[in-house]
Amino acid sequence: MTREQLSLTTLARAGFVGLSSVRGELDELVELTGFGVDELLPALSAAADPDTALALALRLLRHAPVQTARYVPSRNDARRVFRVIGASEGAAEFFLRQPAELSALDDPIIALPTADELRADLLDAVGAVDGVAALEDDAARIALRVRYRRRLVQIASFDLEQEDPVAGLDAVAAALSDLAAAALEASLAVARRQTIGTGPGRFPEAEVRATRFAIIGMGKAGARELNYVSDVDVIYVTEGDEEAGLSSGRAVDIATRLAMLTQRGIHEPAIEPGLWEVDPNLRPEGKDGALVRTLESHIAYYDRWAKGWEFQALLKARPLAGDLELGERYVAALAPKVWSSASRENFVESVQRMRERVTDNIPDDETHYQLKLGPGGLRDVEFTVQLLQLVHGQTDERVRQRDTLSALAALAAQGYIGRDEAAAFSQDYRTLRLMEHRLQLRHLSRTHLMPRDEGDVRILARATGLAPSAEQLLVRWNAIKHRVRGLHERLFYRPLLSAVAAMPSDDSGLTGGAGLTSEQAEARLAAIGFRDPRGALAHIAALTAGVSRRATIQRHLLPVLLQWFAAGPDPDYGLLTFRRLSEDLGTTHWYLKMLRDSTGAAERLTRVLSGSRFAGELLGRIPESVAWLESEEELRPRSAEVLREETAAILGRHQSAATAAASLRAVRRREVLRLAFSAILGFATIDELARGLTAVNENVIEGVLSAIRAERGDAADLEFAIIGMGRFGGRELGFGSDLDVMYVFRPLAADQDTAHKAALAIVADLNRLTEDNRLPLDLDIGLRPEGKNGPPVRSLEAYRAYYKRWSLTWEAQALLRARGVAGDAALLADFEAVADEVRYPAAIGEQEVREVKRIKARVENERLPQGADPARHLKLGRGSLSDVEWFVQLIQLQHAAAIPALRTTSTLDALAVAVDHDLVAEDDASKLRDAWLLASRARSAMTLWTDKTADVLPADRVALEGVARLLEYPPGSASRLEEDYLAVTRRARAVFERGFYGLPQRPTPTG
């Protein structure tokens, strides 16, 4: 290819940007090298920045034509040179300073050098013999730095030639770390040369050689994870030699001199620039502490004064240079302190706060561009892995790895993190590190900021091979940030970590480890609250037996879960149900993963299982619902609109009323369980739960009725509707509440008898198809006219006639909470109009008022179960639900005709209206409201606790404690709940007696 044949398109495809000048520069390069354009162009196009590679090649040839020209003897070698200088202007600057070092690229780099090879090479550069260099001062610094950079460009050449540089990152980082360690060893040899002798700062050779001095690598240097240009964090340790007559104090003086000179040899100015910063500020007391300490002094400091973050910093400690045996003793002495540091109070929280401070301290204009410190950056991965290591490494030596990627693999292998998450974290971490490497390689300068210029991003895209364009690299990077941040937040802040960190180390024996004998484990379980410790131990053994991954994860989870179960009111039932659930779901891919990794699912599950037999038994029927515990949104009641949409879809799928009803009953069980979770975990108020339960039951009744009517095909013959009564009509249902209803029909084409028979058949089908053995749905028609003696269903006209002629006061009172819940809309509206005429009379006479009071007195005397304590009965007892509801209903009978706002089926809404119209004093209403709410909550809590409907506040302390915990009392509050309930209902009863019966106010005890 000739110059004239070089089109701008060809140059652009080769990666050139400055097209106007490229032809002339290529001409000059052809002239200087003797190569043809067809040889040079492919070699240049292999560079990350072909323009820079071309310009720098010309600079090199002009600066040292003889030396440079011989190092591009073939196309392949030219490609190697161009690739290095096209990715690293810093390397080109090195060659300009030291043109003879281009010989480093004479041959392809087939394999990376070993740590021993690098150490020997750099010691040779300074003429070291027996640990002491022949060179010193500038001569030594220049020789060391030139040899270091020669090796660096060879590593870079190897790196840039990799087909998959992401996969090769680990080996490159290890080689760079080994090169840094070799540089420190060579600089230490020079420092010994500068220390031996007489005069200021010099010591006798025997003393210098007797001084045991080790350089400990910290951070990335210790973990063999260094970048091309990283600060190298170090700690210095020394020891005297009593046999040689060298005291510890003298050794510290000599070692301090060695440390200072070693650092200068690395970064003090000279003709050849410094390499990188040696940072000793992770030492005890930081910048204010002694630069060098003895091993004994280090141990004493970490025993008495060190903070949590200092142990985290030691996680990667490794001897780098000097006396490696002393360095190993240093690491061994401090390792137990590192791996027990997580048991310190609030350790996990302190690590979390430290990560947040790092993010908070990033300048605002850099946050988005930070590869290392910003959200979704390298630090998110590193902090997550280190925290998991420190927490689980207390008892598991297998996760005690120095480097991030090995630690990730170990954490995944042992089940502390999901394999998918570990794989994603590893790949993203390597990718971010590769981007960081290439950014630093370009100018051989320390940076962690993504470039803002599009051209620079394009060069980075080509240098990494991660994307074909700047835009696509940014898209990939942002996806990585989002993924890393999400994983970091899920793993770094999971509650399980704090709980594991705080556990005594011997609790691992509870899960079958070697920590405790069976007798000791049973004693421990009994001590923390299990009433059947032998049974609990059997459940634990079943859950953790074997070598499967499931058993491994259960062994990690159970010590913490046991503590959480024990914090609940019934840990034995909680553990039993957890075992059943785990046997049902343990083979699924998500169950144990969710418990381990979720921000709160595991703790929520223990609260549900140890606090509610109702939820535990229902959960056994719907085990997959445990997944809701991971999301607060899933734990909130579903709206009536959402339920209606699902019902419509079910009815559309099923032609048979029986199969549609089965699906609708399943939806009801599912949604009642969701509401039970909400109640137990405090995600819904009593009003939200009541309305949620009402909506769920309305939904199944309306859906089943629609399926029955569609299957019967009698819509043209009659209208049919269901009226909610009592707490159902008032939208005040609790767990275990019956559904009080009345049925009404209206003939259309059919005659009265035929329509009545059809309505009776609909009622029979409705009772049959809503029957649910697991979660009873009791349609109670006891509030219909004439009570048990009345027909199950009447026509609208029959109701109208009955109420006009025969209605009793109690029936008008019952209608106060009548509300249409299902069926034909026109019939529902017409029934409510009939009901309004009865329940909102223009006037109610004194005789009717006396009748209401007489019936209430009979209810108190006759309906209260034999032997029941009136002070503890939640429904019929003194100051309980019945008192409040009858009090409000009497007001409605007397005043709703004149005050339309009182025409509501809700007890508390009517009470609020009564206050607004000065029918009840606010203080009295508050006492009634408090009693009604507490009794309602306690009644639902009784059902949740026992899985049975109960109306009496238990006297048994265990049951009372269970109810108290469901009412969000702290542990040990059984007596406090009892006292609160008796006091609240006593005050409500006083208001009731005065306002309902007209009895004089009696003195009320304080409290």
Side-chain angles (χ1 to χ4, degrees), residues 986-1002:
R986 186 169 59 245
R987 289 191 287 268
R989 181 66 180 187
V991 173
F992 171 77
E993 289 180 344
R994 176 165 38 82
F996 189 84
Y997 288 129
L999 299 178
Q1001 179 72 52
R1002 293 179 294 179

Side-chain angles (χ1 to χ4, degrees), residues 631-639 671 674-675 678 682-684 688:
S631 165
E632 291 189 12
E633 190 58 36
E634 290 286 353
L635 293 171
R636 301 191 186 282
R638 294 287 176 89
S639 69
E671 294 307 317
R674 190 192 309 277
L675 289 163
S678 297
F683 282 97
E688 289 171 331

Side-chain angles (χ1 to χ4, degrees), residues 840-896:
Y840 306 135
I844 179 172
E846 186 60 33
Q847 182 177 347
E848 286 83 1
V849 172
R850 284 199 300 270
E851 177 67 8
V852 172
K853 295 178 179 179
R854 184 188 67 79
I855 294 173
K856 175 66 169 81
R858 280 189 59 193
V859 168
E860 290 184 21
N861 292 327
E862 298 176 10
R863 290 189 57 193
L864 197 69
Q866 187 173 5
D869 183 352
R872 304 178 77 89
H873 201 281
L874 301 166
K875 183 177 181 182
L876 302 175
R878 293 192 291 267
S880 66
L881 295 171
S882 176
D883 278 2
V884 179
E885 290 166 359
W886 282 68
F887 181 96
V888 171
Q889 288 161 16
L890 181 56
I891 291 173
Q892 288 180 289
L893 288 170
Q894 291 174 310
H895 300 284

Side-chain angles (χ1 to χ4, degrees), residues 444-608:
L444 286 182
S445 62
R446 184 172 176 266
T447 181
H448 310 288
L449 293 176
M450 193 74 170
R452 306 185 189 201
D453 178 76
E454 184 181 354
D456 290 334
V457 178
R458 179 186 62 82
I459 293 169
L460 181 61
R462 288 176 59 91
T464 56
L466 294 173
S469 68
E471 181 181 1
Q472 288 170 289
L473 179 63
L474 292 176
V475 168
R476 182 167 181 177
W477 176 47
N478 283 313
I480 289 171
K481 286 199 295 182
H482 178 76
R483 191 162 53 243
V484 166
R485 189 61 175 179
L487 262 177
H488 166 74
E489 289 177 343
R490 195 161 81 239
L491 300 176
F492 193 64
Y493 292 100
R494 53 163 115 148
L496 206 62
L497 284 175
S498 296
V500 171
M503 283 185 57
S505 59
D506 60 354
D507 272 8
S508 61
L510 292 174
T511 59
L516 304 175
T517 65
S518 295
E519 292 76 13
Q520 289 171 325
E522 286 181 25
R524 175 67 58 80
L525 289 165
I528 63 176
F530 284 86
R531 289 184 285 276
D532 178 15
R534 181 168 296 180
L537 203 58
H539 298 321
I540 293 167
L543 286 163
T544 60
V547 295
S548 67
R549 184 173 178 80
R550 178 175 63 173
T552 299
I553 295 174
Q554 289 281 26
R555 282 193 288 273
H556 301 331
L557 290 172
L558 271 169
V560 176
L561 296 185
L562 291 172
Q563 299 288 342
W564 285 339
F565 280 128
D570 192 350
D572 297 86
Y573 177 77
L575 181 58
L576 167 64
T577 315
F578 177 74
R579 176 183 173 181
R580 292 173 180 165
L581 188 65
S582 296
E583 288 170 350
D584 286 338
L585 294 175
T587 57
T588 62
H589 73 282
W590 58 268
Y591 170 63
L592 293 175
K593 174 177 176 292
M594 179 195 72
L595 296 183
R596 180 193 58 204
D597 296 344
S598 167
T599 56
E603 186 176 14
R604 289 172 183 159
L605 180 61
T606 61
R607 287 172 60 190
V608 167

Side-chain angles (χ1 to χ4, degrees), residues 293-314:
R293 290 175 182 252
T294 63
L295 176 57
E296 183 180 357
S297 174
H298 275 287
I299 294 170
Y301 173 83
Y302 286 106
D303 277 338
R304 295 188 61 187
W305 307 109
K307 298 176 182 177
W309 70 265
E310 293 180 278
F311 293 105
Q312 184 181 353
L314 285 168

Side-chain angles (χ1 to χ4, degrees), residues 43-98:
L44 287 165
S45 67
D49 184 359
D51 296 84
T52 299
L54 176 56
L56 289 172
L58 288 173
R59 282 187 63 195
L60 285 168
L61 286 163
R62 293 167 189 155
H63 176 70
V66 176
Q67 296 96 323
T68 307
R70 75 179 190 85
Y71 296 125
V72 283
S74 70
R75 180 184 299 170
N76 288 337
D77 291 344
R79 181 188 295 265
R80 188 160 55 250
V81 174
F82 293 150
R83 192 187 289 270
V84 169
I85 63 175
S88 178
E89 294 180 40
E93 293 295 333
F94 169 60
F95 290 140
L96 284 168
R97 292 192 304 272
Q98 308 289 340

Side-chain angles (χ1 to χ4, degrees), residues 150-174:
R150 179 183 177 88
R151 284 294 192 172
L152 186 75
V153 296
Q154 290 176 333
I155 293 172
S157 178
F158 176 88
D159 187 10
L160 293 166
E161 294 285 345
Q162 298 303 298
E163 289 187 13
D164 185 354
V166 174
L169 178 94
D170 306 18
V172 171

